Amino acid sequence: MRPAARLASVIEILEQVEDENLIIHHLLIRYFKQRRYAGSKDRRQIRERTYRIVRNRFKLEWWLQEVIGERYTSRLLVLSDLAFFEFCSQSELDEIFNGAANNPEQLSQKEKEIYQALVGKDIRHVKMPMNVKFECPDWIFAKLEPVFGSELEKCMIGLGEEASLDLRVNALKEITREQVQIRLEKFDIKAEKTKYAPFGLRIHSRRRIDQIKPFRDGFLEIQDEGSQIISMLVDAKPGMHIADFCSGAGGKTLALGSFMANKGRILALDTSLTRLDKAASRIKRAGLHNVERRLIGGEADPKLKRLAKKFDRVLVDAPCSGIGTWRRDPDMRQRLEEKKLEAIVQVQQRILIAAARLVRPGGRLIYATCSLIPDENEKQIENLLHKINDYSLVSVKEIWSKLDPKIKKWDGVVNGKMMRLTPHQHGTDGFFISILERLH
């Protein structure tokens, strides 16, 4: 593909996102499947430009609407991206926007004037609101400000950066992290050890992992270090009975199973058959035999009554706003609305109360989200403790310190007995973790 054709593809992709309200990641997969002629270089450059625009969209829209006085379009977003990041000359622009087959249509006089008004400017204008500067809806910015205070700017910068690719070495396999690193080097993949998770590896370049032999043989799984930390804090041991209440595609289920050495029982519960089916192939590849997948109709499913007080550990990785994953899904910040958050909070409350009933006396309930908003985190725990009087908070820091003497001692931010992970402090996605113990 010629450079101009790649640019036309970006415009088309952004238009489809607007029209169909799709997640960028999913749309790109579909887009390239339908265009097998696009080579690896074409795909990489189209993807990189698309994500750059998405990561800077609040600022690009602000320039167009507040300074230029034009409503944004996909075409103007791409033109603005060129002005701020590539500084093309007018002759270069005319060559790109020439209207030829597969190329963008010629620029109008108005578009040329918009480009000239933007080219060479600093994308962060002195009059730009703080939430726009950091690519965050104003209502979310207001909720995060009291949480992070003077650290908010660093937090927002961290959420705006591109995430690394984190892997977890399967503890069931007789292989060390060092041995996996050597195997990855044979595929020209350089991986470093994660700071906290003892089975974690980190790759800073964008690589396909799912086609290489170490992955196909079950030695590796893709899992953010923060998610690995949550799995460890469940403190799963061989022989235990554990419920993964919102198991999804099974990322944490796999980690728990490996820690249990295939002894005991894991019940993976989810409301989506598609997600449970996806987990099945991952469970098989990992060599797990102690996982049972079960479809439920929701937190009020009658089947859950038969599971009351049956489990040593119940993990609730609750559906949430996903703010902590903005590094990986930057377009989420444009899609989240305040009324949607209110609905999510109500669902979380119902899930948490339903999951709490499954824990046996002396067992633990582990609640986690990939959000940084107190409404979904601390306030949910406060609400549960107010409604159910036979639970008490357990210090996450204390649990961490007892896991394994070889594990790096935790130096992260602890909110009382609860824990918060952030990209700028820990190099992970944003997560919240709380552990409660059932008294009777």
Side-chain angles (χ1 to χ4, degrees), residues 338-414:
E338 194 163 7
K339 62 182 180 181
K340 289 184 180 178
L341 177 66
E342 293 170 2
I344 289 169
V345 166
Q346 294 300 315
V347 171
Q348 290 169 343
Q349 288 180 4
R350 295 195 298 269
I351 289 174
L352 198 46
I353 289 172
R357 299 189 183 110
L358 307 191
V359 183
R360 68 164 179 78
R364 293 178 193 158
L365 174 67
I366 298 88
Y367 177 74
T369 73
C370 51
S371 174
L372 301 172
I373 296 178
D375 306 55
E376 302 180 82
N377 299 332
E378 295 94 330
K379 291 183 180 179
Q380 294 289 29
I381 299 303
E382 291 170 9
N383 178 69
L384 179 72
L385 293 174
H386 177 73
K387 290 183 176 180
I388 302 180
N389 60 10
D390 60 347
Y391 272 94
S392 65
L393 268 175
V394 178
S395 169
V396 173
K397 189 173 184 179
E398 184 179 337
I399 298 293
W400 180 268
S401 68
K402 294 177 180 178
L403 288 177
D404 188 328
K406 294 179 290 185
I407 295 176
K408 180 178 176 65
K409 296 304 178 187
W410 185 253
D411 60 358
V413 174
V414 177

Coordinates of all heavy atoms in Angstrom, one line a residue, residues 338-414:
E338 N -21.4 9.0 32.3 CA -21.7 9.0 33.7 C -22.8 8.1 34.1 O -22.8 7.4 35.1 CB -21.9 10.4 34.2 CG -21.8 10.5 35.7 CD -21.6 11.9 36.2 OE1 -21.7 12.8 35.3 OE2 -21.4 12.1 37.4
K339 N -23.9 8.1 33.3 CA -25.1 7.2 33.6 C -24.7 5.8 33.5 O -25.3 4.9 34.1 CB -26.2 7.6 32.7 CG -26.0 7.4 31.2 CD -27.2 7.9 30.4 CE -27.0 7.7 28.9 NZ -28.2 8.1 28.1
K340 N -23.8 5.4 32.6 CA -23.3 4.0 32.5 C -22.6 3.6 33.7 O -22.7 2.5 34.2 CB -22.4 3.9 31.2 CG -23.2 3.9 29.9 CD -22.2 3.7 28.7 CE -23.0 3.7 27.4 NZ -22.0 3.5 26.3
L341 N -21.8 4.5 34.3 CA -21.1 4.2 35.5 C -22.0 3.9 36.6 O -21.8 2.9 37.4 CB -20.1 5.4 35.9 CG -19.4 5.2 37.2 CD1 -18.4 4.0 37.1 CD2 -18.7 6.4 37.7
E342 N -23.1 4.7 36.7 CA -24.1 4.4 37.8 C -24.7 3.0 37.6 O -24.9 2.4 38.6 CB -25.2 5.5 37.6 CG -24.7 6.9 38.0 CD -25.7 8.0 37.6 OE1 -26.8 7.6 37.2 OE2 -25.4 9.2 37.8
A343 N -25.0 2.6 36.4 CA -25.5 1.3 36.2 C -24.5 0.2 36.5 O -24.8 -0.8 37.1 CB -25.9 1.1 34.7
I344 N -23.2 0.4 36.2 CA -22.2 -0.5 36.5 C -22.1 -0.7 38.0 O -21.9 -1.8 38.6 CB -20.8 0.0 35.9 CG1 -20.8 -0.2 34.4 CG2 -19.6 -0.8 36.5 CD1 -19.7 0.5 33.7
V345 N -22.1 0.4 38.8 CA -22.0 0.4 40.2 C -23.1 -0.5 40.8 O -22.9 -1.3 41.8 CB -22.0 1.8 40.8 CG1 -22.3 1.8 42.3 CG2 -20.7 2.5 40.5
Q346 N -24.3 -0.4 40.3 CA -25.5 -1.2 40.8 C -25.2 -2.7 40.6 O -25.5 -3.5 41.4 CB -26.8 -0.7 40.1 CG -27.2 0.7 40.5 CD -27.4 0.9 42.0 OE1 -28.1 0.0 42.6 NE2 -26.9 2.0 42.5
V347 N -24.7 -3.0 39.4 CA -24.4 -4.4 39.1 C -23.3 -4.9 40.0 O -23.4 -6.1 40.5 CB -24.0 -4.5 37.6 CG1 -23.4 -5.9 37.3 CG2 -25.1 -4.2 36.6
Q348 N -22.3 -4.1 40.2 CA -21.2 -4.6 41.1 C -21.7 -4.9 42.5 O -21.3 -5.9 43.1 CB -20.1 -3.5 41.2 CG -19.3 -3.3 39.9 CD -18.5 -2.0 40.0 OE1 -18.7 -1.1 40.8 NE2 -17.5 -2.0 39.1
Q349 N -22.6 -4.1 43.0 CA -23.2 -4.3 44.4 C -23.9 -5.6 44.4 O -23.7 -6.4 45.4 CB -24.1 -3.1 44.7 CG -23.5 -1.8 45.0 CD -24.4 -0.7 45.4 OE1 -25.7 -1.0 45.5 NE2 -24.0 0.5 45.6
R350 N -24.7 -5.9 43.4 CA -25.4 -7.2 43.4 C -24.5 -8.4 43.3 O -24.7 -9.4 44.0 CB -26.4 -7.2 42.3 CG -27.5 -6.1 42.4 CD -28.7 -6.4 41.5 NE -28.3 -6.3 40.1 CZ -28.4 -5.2 39.3 NH1 -28.8 -4.1 39.9 NH2 -28.1 -5.3 38.1
I351 N -23.5 -8.3 42.4 CA -22.5 -9.3 42.3 C -21.8 -9.6 43.6 O -21.6 -10.8 44.0 CB -21.5 -9.0 41.1 CG1 -22.2 -9.1 39.8 CG2 -20.3 -9.9 41.2 CD1 -21.4 -8.7 38.6
L352 N -21.3 -8.5 44.2 CA -20.5 -8.7 45.4 C -21.3 -9.4 46.6 O -20.8 -10.2 47.3 CB -20.0 -7.3 45.9 CG -18.9 -7.2 46.9 CD1 -17.7 -8.1 46.5 CD2 -18.4 -5.7 46.9
I353 N -22.6 -9.0 46.7 CA -23.4 -9.6 47.7 C -23.7 -11.1 47.4 O -23.6 -11.9 48.3 CB -24.7 -8.8 47.9 CG1 -24.4 -7.5 48.5 CG2 -25.7 -9.6 48.7 CD1 -25.6 -6.5 48.6
A354 N -23.9 -11.4 46.1 CA -24.1 -12.8 45.7 C -22.9 -13.6 45.9 O -23.0 -14.8 46.4 CB -24.6 -12.8 44.3
A355 N -21.7 -13.1 45.6 CA -20.5 -13.8 45.7 C -20.1 -14.0 47.2 O -19.6 -15.1 47.6 CB -19.3 -13.1 45.0
A356 N -20.5 -13.1 48.0 CA -20.1 -13.2 49.5 C -20.8 -14.4 50.1 O -20.3 -15.0 51.1 CB -20.6 -11.9 50.2
R357 N -22.0 -14.8 49.6 CA -22.7 -15.9 50.1 C -22.0 -17.2 49.9 O -22.3 -18.2 50.6 CB -24.1 -15.9 49.5 CG -25.0 -14.7 49.9 CD -26.4 -14.9 49.4 NE -27.2 -13.7 49.7 CZ -27.7 -12.9 48.7 NH1 -27.5 -13.3 47.4 NH2 -28.4 -11.9 49.0
L358 N -21.1 -17.3 48.9 CA -20.4 -18.5 48.6 C -19.2 -18.9 49.5 O -18.8 -20.0 49.4 CB -20.0 -18.5 47.1 CG -21.0 -18.1 46.0 CD1 -20.4 -18.4 44.6 CD2 -22.3 -18.9 46.2
V359 N -18.8 -17.9 50.2 CA -17.6 -18.1 51.0 C -17.9 -18.9 52.3 O -18.8 -18.5 53.0 CB -16.9 -16.7 51.4 CG1 -15.6 -16.9 52.2 CG2 -16.7 -15.9 50.1
R360 N -17.1 -19.9 52.6 CA -17.3 -20.6 53.9 C -16.8 -19.8 55.0 O -15.9 -18.9 54.8 CB -16.6 -21.9 53.8 CG -15.1 -21.8 53.8 CD -14.4 -23.2 54.1 NE -12.9 -23.1 54.1 CZ -12.2 -22.5 55.0 NH1 -12.7 -22.0 56.1 NH2 -10.9 -22.5 54.9
P361 N -17.2 -20.1 56.3 CA -16.6 -19.4 57.4 C -15.1 -19.6 57.5 O -14.6 -20.7 57.4 CB -17.3 -20.0 58.6 CG -18.6 -20.5 58.0 CD -18.3 -20.9 56.6
G362 N -14.4 -18.5 57.7 CA -12.9 -18.6 57.7 C -12.3 -18.4 56.3 O -11.1 -18.3 56.2
G363 N -13.2 -18.4 55.3 CA -12.7 -18.2 53.9 C -12.6 -16.8 53.5 O -12.9 -15.9 54.3
R364 N -12.1 -16.5 52.3 CA -11.9 -15.1 51.9 C -12.6 -14.8 50.6 O -12.7 -15.6 49.7 CB -10.4 -14.8 51.7 CG -9.6 -14.9 53.0 CD -8.1 -14.7 52.7 NE -7.3 -15.0 53.8 CZ -6.0 -15.3 53.8 NH1 -5.4 -15.4 52.6 NH2 -5.3 -15.6 54.8
L365 N -13.1 -13.5 50.6 CA -13.7 -12.9 49.4 C -12.7 -11.9 48.9 O -12.3 -11.0 49.6 CB -15.0 -12.2 49.8 CG -15.7 -11.4 48.7 CD1 -16.2 -12.3 47.5 CD2 -16.9 -10.7 49.3
I366 N -12.3 -12.0 47.6 CA -11.3 -11.1 47.0 C -12.0 -10.3 45.9 O -12.5 -10.9 45.0 CB -10.1 -11.9 46.4 CG1 -9.3 -12.6 47.5 CG2 -9.1 -10.9 45.7 CD1 -9.8 -14.0 47.7
Y367 N -12.1 -9.0 46.1 CA -12.8 -8.1 45.2 C -11.8 -7.3 44.5 O -10.9 -6.7 45.1 CB -13.7 -7.2 46.0 CG -14.5 -6.2 45.1 CD1 -15.5 -6.6 44.3 CD2 -14.1 -4.9 45.1 CE1 -16.2 -5.7 43.4 CE2 -14.8 -3.9 44.3 CZ -15.8 -4.4 43.5 OH -16.5 -3.5 42.7
A368 N -11.9 -7.3 43.1 CA -10.9 -6.5 42.3 C -11.7 -5.9 41.1 O -12.6 -6.4 40.6 CB -9.8 -7.4 41.8
T369 N -11.2 -4.7 40.7 CA -11.6 -4.1 39.5 C -10.4 -3.5 38.8 O -9.4 -3.3 39.4 CB -12.6 -2.9 39.8 OG1 -11.9 -1.8 40.3 CG2 -13.7 -3.3 40.7
C370 N -10.6 -3.2 37.5 CA -9.6 -2.5 36.8 C -10.0 -1.0 36.6 O -10.0 -0.4 35.5 CB -9.3 -3.1 35.4 SG -10.7 -3.4 34.4
S371 N -10.5 -0.5 37.7 CA -10.9 0.9 37.8 C -10.2 1.6 38.9 O -9.6 1.0 39.8 CB -12.4 1.0 38.1 OG -12.8 2.3 38.3
L372 N -10.1 2.9 38.8 CA -9.5 3.8 39.9 C -10.5 4.7 40.5 O -10.1 5.5 41.3 CB -8.4 4.6 39.2 CG -7.2 3.8 38.6 CD1 -6.3 4.7 37.8 CD2 -6.5 2.9 39.6
I373 N -11.8 4.6 40.2 CA -12.8 5.4 40.8 C -13.3 4.8 42.1 O -13.7 3.7 42.1 CB -14.0 5.5 39.8 CG1 -13.5 6.3 38.5 CG2 -15.1 6.3 40.4 CD1 -14.6 6.4 37.4
P374 N -13.4 5.6 43.1 CA -13.8 5.1 44.5 C -15.2 4.5 44.4 O -15.5 3.6 45.2 CB -13.8 6.4 45.3 CG -12.7 7.2 44.7 CD -12.9 7.0 43.2
D375 N -16.1 5.0 43.6 CA -17.5 4.5 43.5 C -17.5 3.0 43.2 O -18.4 2.3 43.7 CB -18.3 5.2 42.4 CG -18.3 6.7 42.5 OD1 -17.2 7.3 42.6 OD2 -19.4 7.3 42.5
E376 N -16.5 2.5 42.5 CA -16.5 1.1 42.1 C -15.6 0.3 43.0 O -15.6 -0.9 42.9 CB -15.9 1.0 40.7 CG -16.7 1.7 39.6 CD -16.1 1.6 38.2 OE1 -16.4 0.6 37.6 OE2 -15.3 2.5 37.8
N377 N -14.9 1.0 43.9 CA -13.9 0.3 44.7 C -14.1 0.4 46.2 O -14.9 -0.4 46.8 CB -12.5 0.9 44.4 CG -12.1 0.7 42.9 OD1 -12.6 -0.3 42.3 ND2 -11.3 1.5 42.3
E378 N -13.5 1.4 46.9 CA -13.7 1.5 48.3 C -15.1 1.6 48.7 O -15.6 1.0 49.7 CB -12.9 2.8 48.8 CG -11.4 2.7 48.6 CD -10.9 3.4 47.4 OE1 -11.7 3.4 46.4 OE2 -9.8 3.9 47.3
K379 N -15.9 2.4 48.0 CA -17.4 2.6 48.4 C -18.1 1.3 48.3 O -19.1 1.0 49.0 CB -18.0 3.6 47.5 CG -17.5 5.0 47.8 CD -18.2 6.1 47.0 CE -17.6 7.5 47.3 NZ -18.3 8.6 46.5
Q380 N -17.7 0.4 47.3 CA -18.4 -0.9 47.2 C -18.1 -1.8 48.5 O -19.0 -2.5 48.9 CB -18.0 -1.6 45.9 CG -18.4 -0.9 44.7 CD -19.9 -1.1 44.4 OE1 -20.7 -1.1 45.3 NE2 -20.3 -1.0 43.2
I381 N -16.9 -1.7 48.9 CA -16.5 -2.5 50.1 C -17.2 -1.9 51.3 O -17.7 -2.7 52.2 CB -15.0 -2.5 50.3 CG1 -14.3 -3.1 49.1 CG2 -14.6 -3.2 51.6 CD1 -14.7 -4.5 48.8
E382 N -17.3 -0.6 51.5 CA -18.0 0.0 52.6 C -19.5 -0.4 52.6 O -20.1 -0.7 53.6 CB -17.9 1.5 52.5 CG -16.5 2.1 52.7 CD -16.4 3.5 52.4 OE1 -17.5 4.2 52.1 OE2 -15.3 4.1 52.4
N383 N -20.1 -0.5 51.4 CA -21.5 -0.9 51.2 C -21.7 -2.3 51.6 O -22.7 -2.6 52.3 CB -21.9 -0.7 49.8 CG -23.3 -1.1 49.5 OD1 -24.3 -0.5 50.0 ND2 -23.5 -2.2 48.7
L384 N -20.8 -3.2 51.2 CA -20.9 -4.6 51.6 C -20.8 -4.8 53.1 O -21.6 -5.5 53.7 CB -19.8 -5.4 50.9 CG -19.8 -6.9 51.2 CD1 -21.0 -7.6 50.5 CD2 -18.5 -7.6 50.8
L385 N -19.8 -4.2 53.7 CA -19.6 -4.3 55.2 C -20.8 -3.8 55.9 O -21.1 -4.2 57.1 CB -18.3 -3.6 55.6 CG -17.0 -4.3 55.1 CD1 -15.8 -3.4 55.4 CD2 -16.9 -5.7 55.6
H386 N -21.5 -2.8 55.3 CA -22.7 -2.2 56.0 C -23.9 -3.2 55.9 O -24.7 -3.3 56.9 CB -23.0 -0.9 55.3 CG -24.3 -0.2 55.8 ND1 -24.3 0.4 57.1 CD2 -25.5 -0.1 55.3 CE1 -25.6 0.8 57.3 NE2 -26.3 0.6 56.2
K387 N -24.0 -3.9 54.8 CA -25.1 -4.8 54.6 C -24.9 -6.2 55.2 O -25.9 -6.9 55.5 CB -25.4 -4.9 53.1 CG -25.9 -3.6 52.5 CD -26.3 -3.8 51.0 CE -26.9 -2.5 50.5 NZ -27.3 -2.6 49.0
I388 N -23.6 -6.6 55.2 CA -23.3 -8.0 55.7 C -22.4 -7.9 56.9 O -21.2 -7.4 56.7 CB -22.7 -8.9 54.6 CG1 -23.7 -9.0 53.4 CG2 -22.4 -10.3 55.1 CD1 -23.2 -9.8 52.3
N389 N -22.8 -8.3 58.1 CA -22.0 -8.1 59.3 C -21.0 -9.2 59.6 O -20.4 -9.1 60.7 CB -22.9 -7.8 60.4 CG -23.8 -8.9 60.8 OD1 -23.7 -10.0 60.2 ND2 -24.8 -8.7 61.6
D390 N -20.9 -10.2 58.8 CA -20.0 -11.3 59.2 C -18.7 -11.3 58.3 O -18.1 -12.4 58.1 CB -20.7 -12.7 59.1 CG -21.2 -13.0 57.8 OD1 -21.3 -12.1 56.9 OD2 -21.6 -14.2 57.6
Y391 N -18.3 -10.2 57.9 CA -17.0 -10.0 57.1 C -16.2 -9.0 57.8 O -16.7 -8.0 58.3 CB -17.3 -9.6 55.7 CG -17.5 -10.8 54.7 CD1 -18.8 -11.3 54.5 CD2 -16.4 -11.5 54.2 CE1 -19.0 -12.3 53.6 CE2 -16.7 -12.6 53.3 CZ -17.9 -13.0 53.1 OH -18.1 -14.1 52.2
S392 N -14.9 -9.2 57.7 CA -13.9 -8.1 58.1 C -12.8 -8.0 57.1 O -12.5 -8.9 56.4 CB -13.3 -8.5 59.5 OG -12.5 -9.7 59.3
L393 N -12.3 -6.8 57.0 CA -11.2 -6.5 56.0 C -9.9 -7.1 56.5 O -9.6 -7.1 57.7 CB -11.0 -5.0 55.9 CG -11.7 -4.2 54.8 CD1 -11.5 -2.7 55.0 CD2 -11.4 -4.7 53.5
V394 N -9.2 -7.7 55.5 CA -7.9 -8.2 55.8 C -6.8 -7.3 55.1 O -7.1 -6.9 53.9 CB -7.8 -9.7 55.2 CG1 -6.4 -10.2 55.4 CG2 -8.8 -10.6 55.9
S395 N -5.7 -7.1 55.7 CA -4.7 -6.2 55.1 C -4.1 -6.9 53.8 O -3.5 -8.0 54.0 CB -3.6 -5.9 56.1 OG -2.5 -5.3 55.4
V396 N -4.2 -6.3 52.7 CA -3.6 -6.8 51.5 C -2.1 -6.9 51.6 O -1.4 -7.8 51.2 CB -4.0 -5.9 50.3 CG1 -3.2 -6.4 49.0 CG2 -5.5 -6.0 50.0
K397 N -1.5 -5.8 52.2 CA -0.1 -5.8 52.4 C 0.4 -7.0 53.3 O 1.4 -7.6 53.0 CB 0.3 -4.5 53.1 CG 1.8 -4.2 53.2 CD 2.1 -2.9 53.7 CE 3.6 -2.6 53.7 NZ 3.9 -1.2 54.2
E398 N -0.4 -7.3 54.3 CA 0.0 -8.5 55.2 C -0.1 -9.8 54.4 O 0.8 -10.6 54.5 CB -1.0 -8.5 56.4 CG -0.6 -9.6 57.4 CD -1.6 -9.6 58.6 OE1 -2.2 -8.5 58.8 OE2 -1.7 -10.6 59.2
I399 N -1.1 -10.0 53.6 CA -1.3 -11.2 52.8 C -0.1 -11.3 51.8 O 0.5 -12.4 51.7 CB -2.6 -11.2 52.0 CG1 -3.8 -11.2 52.9 CG2 -2.6 -12.4 51.0 CD1 -4.0 -12.4 53.7
W400 N 0.3 -10.2 51.2 CA 1.4 -10.2 50.2 C 2.7 -10.6 50.9 O 3.5 -11.4 50.4 CB 1.5 -8.8 49.6 CG 2.7 -8.6 48.7 CD1 3.9 -8.2 48.9 CD2 2.6 -9.0 47.3 NE1 4.7 -8.3 47.8 CE2 3.9 -8.7 46.8 CE3 1.6 -9.4 46.4 CZ2 4.2 -8.9 45.4 CZ3 2.0 -9.6 45.1 CH2 3.2 -9.4 44.6
S401 N 2.9 -10.1 52.1 CA 4.2 -10.3 52.8 C 4.4 -11.8 53.2 O 5.5 -12.3 53.4 CB 4.3 -9.5 54.1 OG 3.3 -9.9 55.1
K402 N 3.2 -12.5 53.3 CA 3.3 -13.9 53.7 C 3.3 -14.9 52.5 O 3.4 -16.1 52.7 CB 2.1 -14.3 54.6 CG 2.1 -13.5 55.9 CD 0.9 -13.9 56.7 CE 0.9 -13.1 58.1 NZ -0.3 -13.4 58.9
L403 N 3.2 -14.4 51.3 CA 3.1 -15.3 50.1 C 4.3 -16.1 49.9 O 4.3 -17.3 49.8 CB 2.8 -14.5 48.9 CG 1.3 -13.9 48.8 CD1 1.2 -13.0 47.5 CD2 0.3 -15.0 48.8
D404 N 5.5 -15.5 49.8 CA 6.7 -16.2 49.5 C 7.8 -15.3 49.8 O 7.9 -14.1 49.4 CB 6.7 -16.5 47.9 CG 7.9 -17.4 47.5 OD1 9.0 -17.3 48.2 OD2 7.7 -18.2 46.6
P405 N 8.8 -15.7 50.6 CA 9.9 -14.8 51.0 C 10.8 -14.4 49.8 O 11.5 -13.4 49.9 CB 10.8 -15.7 51.9 CG 10.3 -17.1 51.6 CD 8.9 -17.1 51.2
K406 N 10.7 -15.1 48.7 CA 11.5 -14.7 47.5 C 10.8 -13.5 46.7 O 11.4 -12.9 45.9 CB 11.7 -15.9 46.6 CG 12.6 -17.0 47.2 CD 12.7 -18.1 46.3 CE 11.4 -18.9 46.1 NZ 11.5 -20.1 45.3
I407 N 9.5 -13.3 47.0 CA 8.8 -12.2 46.3 C 9.2 -10.9 46.8 O 9.4 -10.7 48.0 CB 7.3 -12.4 46.4 CG1 6.8 -13.7 45.8 CG2 6.5 -11.2 45.8 CD1 5.4 -14.0 46.0
K408 N 9.4 -9.9 45.9 CA 9.8 -8.6 46.3 C 8.7 -8.0 47.2 O 7.6 -8.1 47.1 CB 9.8 -7.7 45.0 CG 10.2 -6.2 45.3 CD 10.3 -5.4 44.0 CE 10.6 -4.0 44.3 NZ 11.9 -3.8 44.9
K409 N 9.3 -7.4 48.3 CA 8.4 -6.8 49.3 C 7.6 -5.7 48.7 O 8.1 -4.9 48.0 CB 9.2 -6.4 50.5 CG 9.9 -7.5 51.3 CD 8.9 -8.6 51.8 CE 9.6 -9.7 52.5 NZ 8.7 -10.8 52.7
W410 N 6.3 -5.6 49.1 CA 5.5 -4.6 48.4 C 5.8 -3.2 48.9 O 5.8 -2.9 50.1 CB 4.0 -4.9 48.8 CG 3.1 -4.0 48.0 CD1 2.3 -3.0 48.5 CD2 2.8 -4.0 46.6 NE1 1.6 -2.4 47.5 CE2 1.9 -3.0 46.3 CE3 3.3 -4.8 45.6 CZ2 1.5 -2.7 45.1 CZ3 2.9 -4.6 44.3 CH2 2.0 -3.5 44.1
D411 N 6.0 -2.3 48.0 CA 6.2 -0.9 48.3 C 5.2 0.0 47.6 O 5.4 1.2 47.4 CB 7.6 -0.5 47.9 CG 7.9 -0.6 46.4 OD1 7.0 -1.1 45.7 OD2 9.0 -0.2 45.9
G412 N 4.1 -0.6 47.3 CA 3.1 0.2 46.5 C 2.1 1.0 47.4 O 2.3 1.0 48.6
V413 N 1.2 1.6 46.8 CA 0.2 2.5 47.5 C -0.8 1.6 48.1 O -1.4 0.7 47.4 CB -0.4 3.5 46.5 CG1 -1.5 4.2 47.2 CG2 0.6 4.4 46.0
V414 N -1.0 1.7 49.4 CA -2.1 0.9 50.1 C -3.1 1.9 50.7 O -2.7 2.7 51.4 CB -1.5 0.0 51.1 CG1 -2.6 -0.8 51.9 CG2 -0.5 -1.0 50.5

